Amino acid sequence: MRTKKRTVTQLSLAGAFALALFATSAQAQISDDVVKIGVLTDMNGPASTPSGQGSVIAAQMAVDDFGGTVLGKPISIIIGDHQLKPDVGASLARRWYDVDQVDIIVDVPVSAVGLAVQNVANDRKRLFITHSTGAADFHGKFCSPYTMQWVFDTRALAVGTAQEVVKRGGDSWFFITDDFAFGHALERDAAAVVTRTGGKVIGSVRPPFGASDLSSFVLQAQASKAKIIGIAGGPPNNINEIKTAGEFGVFKGGQQMAALLALITDIDSLGLQTAQGLLLTTAFYWDMDDKTRAWSKRFFEKTKRMPTMWQAGVYSSTMVYLNAIKEAGTDEPLKVAAKMREKPIEDFFARNGKLREDGLMVHDLMLVQVKSPEESKYPWDYYKILAKISGEEAFGPPDPACALGKK
């Protein structure tokens, strides 16, 4: 009888020892004993307001809400300023991955820098999620199993804005296009939508990014007599083009502007008097429902601004990433990415979200119109939601140029 008891005891001890080994093994799957998230952004330039410190705060909010640890290991944030220069962004990414052991890089405004960082991530076999890079080539011909596009792409904005504007009678277009990768991609995709839906493109001009004087470009657009002046670019050019158009009487002359990319911080900078009536597509609006308002008010307490879709997307993806590590039991990049694709993504940011094999997070968008000063009832009450656009319609099928999308 004693022998039997000892056998049971030995089995219990052996089982406990095996469980302890399993737990230790699970924790050991976190490389260098810390999960390190790199927020690579524009801290002082023209993209710093819609991304910048706000993106850092959004990432930190996600880490704090998650509890600060995953699989028993700490989560830390590292911050870098790429200064809107692809070589600086790529250099920082290499150092972070190689020396600082950063597990994932997030944010990275402007497409040229985003694509440069994507090359590094692919080479180093580390994860990268972009939120403020819109070039559709990111998940097209340059797609990678290590990189994801979370918030928007140029095709989605083109479908959301150009298609709806043409339906409303805006069937002749002239583009003012930022002369860099993102602007070119935005014009290309929007022009294709305009033509496909029965409109015509009269012409375009391409001011340099961050141009100090946009008068000649706006005057050319005005002289074209196109019904719609499409702004194919982001801050700061888009803000200055809308201001200049107002000064030159473009709107009084019957022409309308459609911003293919405009963020709520742009509207705040312009003011409703100048921006009223502007049509645009967005992936997020803070005042859409109770869930968006609850998170956005917490963000506002820390920043004194309502979040852009980029900043809200940083929080969303960081939470999905950390949950994927927890569920996978490891921070091994491809295993985590696979886990992120397993479940629908439904949170305060994304509606009907799904991370595809090609790295694009497909989710619903909104067509909105900027309110007049009289329509706005409280601070940051800027948008009328005109239509919901399904993710499938906005983003379309995977690009055939990406082999990953064929799986």
Side-chain angles (χ1 to χ4, degrees):
M1 199 66 180
R2 289 180 181 175
T3 303
K4 187 174 182 180
K5 284 184 177 179
R6 281 198 300 271
T7 303
V8 172
T9 302
Q10 287 168 352
L11 286 171
S12 298
L13 287 171
F17 183 68
L19 286 172
L21 279 177
F22 177 80
T24 302
S25 174
Q27 290 193 353
Q29 294 303 307
I30 298 297
S31 57
D32 72 312
D33 290 332
V34 62
V35 172
K36 192 173 289 186
I37 300 167
V39 183
L40 185 54
T41 189
D42 173 25
M43 294 299 289
N44 299 294
S48 60
T49 299
S51 58
Q53 186 62 29
S55 292
V56 175
I57 288 170
Q60 189 63 58
M61 286 173 66
V63 171
D64 293 343
D65 288 350
F66 194 80
T69 64
V70 60
L71 298 180
K73 302 298 181 181
I75 308 163
S76 69
I77 299 280
I78 186 172
I79 306 163
D81 183 358
H82 59 54
Q83 304 168 43
L84 303 182
K85 298 176 181 177
D87 57 334
V88 174
S91 178
L92 278 169
R94 280 191 291 270
R95 190 186 78 201
W96 279 4
Y97 288 139
D98 295 345
V99 179
D100 297 321
Q101 296 299 301
V102 167
D103 296 288
I104 186 169
I105 292 174
V106 301
D107 200 17
V108 192
V110 309
S111 292
V113 184
L115 291 169
V117 172
Q118 183 190 37
N119 288 335
V120 178
N122 194 37
D123 182 63
R124 268 39 177 200
K125 295 181 170 53
R126 297 290 184 92
L127 294 182
F128 165 39
I129 305 178
T130 182
H131 308 82
S132 40
T133 295
D137 288 340
F138 193 91
H139 60 87
K141 63 183 179 180
F142 299 131
C143 71
S144 160
Y146 296 95
T147 57
M148 306 166 205
Q149 194 165 25
W150 204 262
V151 176
F152 76 113
D153 71 0
T154 52
R155 184 194 186 281
L157 296 185
V159 169
T161 304
Q163 181 172 284
E164 293 300 321
V165 171
V166 173
K167 285 180 181 178
R168 293 164 182 262
D171 56 4
S172 62
W173 286 63
F174 187 97
F175 288 97
I176 304 178
T177 302
D178 284 0
D179 194 12
F180 69 115
F182 171 70
H184 298 170
L186 198 55
E187 180 189 338
R188 176 197 66 201
D189 292 341
V193 171
V194 169
T195 303
R196 187 170 64 246
T197 50
K200 60 182 178 179
V201 177
I202 295 174
S204 67
V205 287
R206 294 186 170 182
F209 179 69
S212 58
D213 185 2
L214 293 159
S215 300
S216 64
F217 303 104
V218 173
L219 286 171
Q220 289 179 71
Q222 186 177 29
S224 75
K225 303 299 182 182
K227 293 180 182 177
I228 305 298
I229 299 173
I231 304 173
N237 281 21
N238 60 351
I239 296 174
N240 293 330
E241 286 154 7
I242 295 168
K243 284 181 179 177
T244 304
E247 292 168 1
F248 290 169
V250 169
F251 307 112
K252 291 179 180 179
Q255 290 173 297
Q256 186 177 10
M257 276 191 156
L260 298 175
L261 172 66
L263 300 153
I264 196 164
T265 47
D266 300 333
I267 306 306
D268 187 64
S269 175
L270 284 164
L272 295 182
Q273 188 64 45
T274 300
Q276 61 183 309
L278 192 69
L279 291 167
L280 60 104
T281 297
T282 184
F284 176 80
Y285 178 43
W286 77 270
D287 204 15
M288 188 181 82
D289 59 26
D290 289 343
K291 288 198 296 185
T292 59
R293 283 188 284 271
W295 185 84
S296 298
K297 288 175 181 177
R298 290 175 53 212
F299 180 89
F300 183 87
E301 289 173 1
K302 298 175 182 294
T303 64
K304 305 310 176 189
R305 289 190 182 101
M306 285 301 177
T308 64
M309 62 179 179
W310 296 347
Q311 292 159 342
V314 168
Y315 179 100
S316 170
S317 64
T318 301
M319 287 294 285
V320 173
Y321 169 70
L322 293 174
N323 274 303
I325 292 176
K326 180 181 178 181
E327 293 172 10
T330 178
D331 65 352
E332 197 281 315
L334 292 183
K335 290 181 180 178
V336 173
K339 188 62 68 174
M340 292 174 72
R341 290 192 294 269
E342 283 185 4
K343 297 179 179 179
I345 298 167
E346 192 78 24
D347 56 19
F348 79 95
F349 169 78
R351 300 295 186 276
N352 302 306
K354 175 68 177 176
L355 182 61
R356 291 195 319 211
E357 290 284 349
D358 60 358
L360 179 65
M361 204 277 276
V362 175
H363 56 282
D364 297 348
L365 302 177
M366 293 169 282
L367 177 72
V368 303
Q369 187 171 35
V370 178
K371 291 182 175 182
S372 68
E374 294 74 28
E375 292 172 312
S376 179
K377 303 303 181 187
Y378 42 84
W380 296 86
D381 175 26
Y382 292 164
Y383 294 160
K384 292 182 289 187
I385 299 174
L386 302 182
K388 301 284 181 70
I389 307 163
S390 73
E392 289 75 15
E393 180 185 2
F395 291 96
D399 188 334
C402 175
L404 298 174
K406 299 173 185 176
K407 294 182 180 180

